[in-house]
Amino acid sequence: MWKVGNGEGIHVWRDRWLSNGVPINCNRAVAADFGIEKVSHLISSLIGGWNRTIIEMIFPPTTVAEILAIPLPHQRGPDMLFWPDNQHGNYTTKAGYRFILGVKASSVASSSRAAQFTAGFWKAMWGSDSLPRCKELVWRCCQGAVPIRAELVRRGIAEYPICPLCEETEETIDHAFMSCSLVRRVWFASVLSVRMEENTTGLGTFLQELLVCADMVVAGKVCSLIYDVWEARNRWVFDGDPFDCRRVLQRAVSLSPAPASSSSQGCQQRSFASSWLRPPEGRFKLNFDASVLGDGSAGLGMVVRDVDGMVLAAATESNVCVLSPVQGEALCMRWAIALAIDLGFRHVLLETDCLQLFDMWRSKGRGRSYLATMVQEARTLSCHFDFIDLCFVRRSGNSVADYFARNAVSYGQRVWVEDVPPAVLPLVNGDILSSAPVV
Ligand SMILES: [Zn+2]
């Protein structure tokens, strides 16, 4: 697939530069009037970004959203081919093999329910770092072939469709694996730190979006977690063993396959802070977070604090288009770093709650994907600092940045210096108290 640089080498109607292949349902007459042939014709030389007006006249809304979410690089280089189905965008024989496996799997699983899943999804799912029984269950979820209560009632096998865990609503696949209040707690407390909203789109959409941009390890964690939730639910239904969030997560660890010995470089055991920690003397901690809404728009938030936990600066940005949550986080990092430069910070410890972004930053790989390019651009900006690094904190330790991200829509584009909105003070004070230096 083509990655847009300056757009001069990509033909809008013939080349594959959008995820679903060449654009369809377009207003070709308008496109012809404007002489649109190359992707560069859709980029405004005046504002240096996408020409939204023209794009909206030509393409259907879903395509518009995808185009606007393509991050144009700060340095407009030539267009480049990348491999779209892995995080780094680099082609390897292994990636090709996994792709073919995915195509095979999807041709087997071609029921109407499974049709929403792309080859990239199946490839990521079957190739994930999890036990076969976990993958098989995820596959059955995608087929709608799990004996969930609502389904048993529909088939006349059972009479009672209510969720056995929360006893609040019908047990559907979406409810049992995502939106049940007890299950939401598991997702959130897991190493993935996924915050399921009550109105989250279905499990299928969620998995599709998450897995196609995840690496094998993250995809494996997702599959294992789904398996563990199902197993714990069954232990409660059939053995009367209460569903306990912590125990589910403890099992999740034991179920993961043992790490391959080739990669045992001592970093397999990862314990991350779950609360905010003060930066070392002389450094500033910059927490950032992106909040992606269902329509593909995102709010960005960042906050800079000193060794005493005092807020020196905070900012929000809204109405940013993104292709995926992790891309939103990468965009947020690039934005936050640029802002830190403008605000004059020179010793900065960045902090994210996005494990994929953290891994990408650590790997220093020169990938070809949009995500990899954004991380590289963020790294390039690092030369403006005397010290800069990125660390990871669990979601619970990133609550102030999360607040700004979630409220970015109402704040709009805004910067606070040595001042914060009153509503965020309890979170700031909470971080100060929980990170108090031990006397
Ligand atoms: Zn429930």
Side-chain angles (χ1 to χ4, degrees):
M1 184 165 155
W2 283 98
K3 182 175 75 176
V4 182
N6 55 28
E8 286 166 16
I10 310 173
H11 198 282
V12 174
W13 314 107
R14 283 204 298 265
D15 293 328
R16 183 172 175 195
W17 60 288
L18 296 169
S19 57
N20 290 324
V22 292
I24 46 168
N25 294 333
C26 303
N27 194 334
R28 293 292 284 269
V30 173
D33 284 348
F34 283 100
I36 305 291
E37 279 188 359
K38 296 291 171 66
V39 170
S40 57
H41 299 153
L42 301 171
I43 300 172
S44 159
S45 52
L46 208 65
I47 57 164
W50 292 107
N51 189 332
R52 193 176 189 134
T53 320
I54 287 201
I55 292 169
E56 283 176 346
M57 279 195 285
I58 298 173
F59 299 95
T62 49
T63 313
V64 170
E66 185 180 345
I67 296 175
L68 295 181
I70 294 176
L72 291 172
H74 285 168
Q75 298 277 326
R76 277 318 134 70
D79 307 305
M80 201 190 266
L81 281 168
F82 73 103
W83 182 252
D85 294 313
N86 61 29
Q87 209 176 150
H88 288 275
N90 299 332
Y91 178 79
T92 58
T93 319
K94 194 176 162 195
Y97 177 71
R98 284 176 58 198
F99 173 75
I100 293 167
L101 279 187
V103 171
K104 267 184 158 169
S106 64
S107 64
V108 170
S110 59
S111 79
S112 60
R113 191 178 167 100
Q116 62 171 303
F117 301 101
T118 63
F121 166 80
W122 293 115
K123 186 181 59 64
M125 199 278 280
W126 291 117
S128 71
D129 204 0
S130 60
L131 297 174
R133 59 175 183 238
C134 304
K135 298 176 199 176
E136 199 226 319
L137 177 68
V138 173
W139 179 76
R140 285 200 285 134
C141 286
C142 297
Q143 306 289 330
V146 181
I148 224 79
R149 284 190 172 173
E151 186 63 19
L152 296 178
V153 170
R154 200 178 65 81
R155 296 182 188 203
I157 299 170
E159 285 180 346
Y160 188 66
I162 301 302
C163 169
L165 300 181
C166 66
E167 298 186 321
E168 280 166 10
T169 178
E170 219 176 45
E171 188 192 39
T172 59
I173 285 187
D174 293 344
H175 179 85
F177 293 100
M178 285 175 76
S179 46
C180 180
S181 51
L182 278 78
V183 174
R184 290 217 308 266
R185 235 176 280 166
V186 176
W187 281 103
F188 185 64
S190 74
V191 64
L192 299 158
S193 292
V194 176
R195 185 191 295 273
M196 297 285 181
E197 306 296 344
E198 281 204 61
N199 53 357
T200 313
T201 49
L203 182 70
T205 316
F206 169 74
L207 287 176
Q208 167 80 37
E209 283 172 2
L210 190 70
L211 290 201
V212 288
C213 62
D215 63 19
M216 281 166 64
V217 176
V218 173
K221 296 230 183 305
V222 173
C223 296
S224 307
L225 193 144
I226 287 178
Y227 183 86
D228 294 326
V229 164
W230 181 239
E231 212 200 15
R233 176 260 189 209
N234 288 339
R235 276 203 308 272
W236 165 236
V237 173
F238 301 112
D239 305 333
D241 199 359
F243 187 97
D244 178 66
C245 170
R246 239 185 352 205
R247 274 186 38 215
V248 177
L249 291 172
Q250 277 164 2
R251 260 192 80 77
V253 176
S254 64
L255 264 180
S256 307
S261 55
S262 60
S263 60
S264 59
Q265 292 160 347
C267 55
Q268 288 294 337
Q269 205 64 40
R270 306 210 286 188
S271 56
F272 294 117
S274 53
S275 63
W276 188 79
L277 295 173
R278 301 174 180 211
E281 189 77 47
R283 289 186 184 155
F284 301 102
K285 180 164 274 187
L286 191 166
N287 288 77
F288 62 89
D289 199 15
S291 165
V292 179
L293 305 171
D295 63 354
S297 72
L300 312 181
M302 65 91 105
V303 56
V304 183
R305 280 172 282 185
D306 65 10
V307 64
D308 296 319
M310 302 305 285
V311 176
L312 301 179
T316 52
E317 175 81 270
S318 65
N319 274 327
V320 183
C321 297
V322 295
L323 293 169
S324 66
V326 62
Q327 199 210 311
E329 299 284 352
L331 204 70
C332 186
M333 177 166 74
R334 197 175 70 172
W335 164 78
I337 291 177
L339 215 68
I341 295 171
D342 289 348
L343 291 166
F345 296 105
R346 293 294 172 264
H347 297 82
V348 173
L349 193 54
L350 302 163
E351 195 160 67
T352 178
D353 59 22
C354 176
L355 200 52
Q356 277 173 270
L357 185 66
F358 174 72
D359 285 342
M360 187 70 111
W361 172 278
R362 276 291 141 102
S363 72
K364 296 183 186 165
R366 304 206 53 85
R368 302 171 75 95
S369 64
Y370 285 115
L371 180 65
T373 306
M374 276 193 286
V375 173
Q376 281 154 28
E377 286 192 347
R379 278 197 166 277
T380 313
L381 291 173
S382 303
C383 65
H384 294 272
F385 296 86
D386 295 327
F387 172 86
I388 188 166
D389 200 6
L390 178 71
C391 53
F392 176 84
V393 69
R394 281 162 171 273
R395 190 125 200 181
S396 48
N398 206 27
S399 57
V400 178
D402 173 65
Y403 168 87
F404 282 112
R406 277 187 293 107
N407 291 283
V409 177
S410 49
Y411 288 126
Q413 190 182 39
R414 197 155 158 191
V415 178
W416 293 261
V417 176
E418 294 180 13
D419 172 42
V420 284
V424 77
L425 278 176
L427 294 173
V428 171
N429 290 335
D431 281 351
I432 291 177
L433 284 175
S434 67
S435 66
V438 182
V439 183

